[in-house]
Amino acid sequence: MNVLWIAVALLVAGFAGWPVTALVFRLARTIDDRADAAKAAEDAKRAAEDPSADVTVDLPPAGGSQGVDGELTAAADAPPSGLAGSGPAAPAQRILRGGAIIGILERLGVCLAILTGQPVAIAYIVAIKGLGRFAELKETPVAAERFIIGTLASMLWAAGTAAAIKVLFLA
């Protein structure tokens, strides 16, 4: 009967953990979006109250010429030269690949470590995972944040599942 409960724990920890992790990612993104929106509103309020921030833009004449009083101007919707939007498009940030498979293996390892009474194995799992992604995480802070959030959510799910099965059914 113990084998059955261990198999159930591994299945629940390994394969039912991804919706939990996805929910945590969505929650983190919602919190970040709200914080960004609040900061943007605060910045807009400051800019509206700041008299030195008054900016006027000369629109080109309706004839389609790019000259205003003999000077060349950029189109109204084009960014001025020298700004970030004027150069070649920046490469999109890559999201770490293989995360779903690594997450399943990580949850299985954590669950198995707790069920077998070897919690020190969890440190090995974290070390292997961190060292394997170190170069990518060093380059992209967004990926590092996702890595930390995903790892913690995944490990907490696996540890909670293993502890619940161990206490309720294997004691």
Side-chain angles (χ1 to χ4, degrees):
M1 189 67 171
N2 285 349
V3 173
L4 174 69
W5 289 118
I6 291 171
V8 167
L10 290 173
L11 286 172
V12 170
F15 298 103
W18 73 264
V20 173
T21 304
L23 180 67
V24 170
F25 279 138
R26 187 176 305 130
L27 178 65
R29 185 173 44 241
T30 301
I31 291 169
D32 286 345
D33 290 347
R34 285 184 185 164
D36 291 345
K39 184 176 183 221
E42 181 68 27
D43 291 345
K45 182 179 176 187
R46 276 194 210 125
E49 294 172 353
D50 186 9
S52 66
D54 185 27
V55 176
T56 57
V57 176
D58 291 332
L59 297 175
S65 168
Q66 286 191 347
V68 175
D69 296 332
E71 295 181 15
L72 289 176
T73 59
D77 59 345
S81 62
L83 292 180
S86 64
Q93 286 186 346
R94 262 184 351 128
I95 299 232
L96 301 176
R97 300 194 54 106
I101 300 298
I102 292 170
I104 291 170
L105 294 173
E106 168 192 4
R107 288 188 295 272
L108 289 173
V110 169
C111 185
L112 197 59
I114 290 174
L115 290 175
T116 59
Q118 300 294 323
V120 138
I122 297 171
Y124 295 126
I125 294 167
V126 172
I128 291 168
K129 188 175 177 187
L131 289 174
R133 294 287 193 179
F134 180 74
E136 292 170 299
L137 297 176
K138 188 176 176 185
E139 292 175 7
T140 55
V142 173
E145 185 176 317
R146 284 184 58 88
F147 177 84
I148 292 169
I149 291 170
T151 298
L152 288 175
S154 189
M155 290 187 148
L156 286 172
W157 174 260
T161 300
I165 294 290
K166 193 170 185 176
V167 168
L168 295 175
F169 301 110
L170 299 177

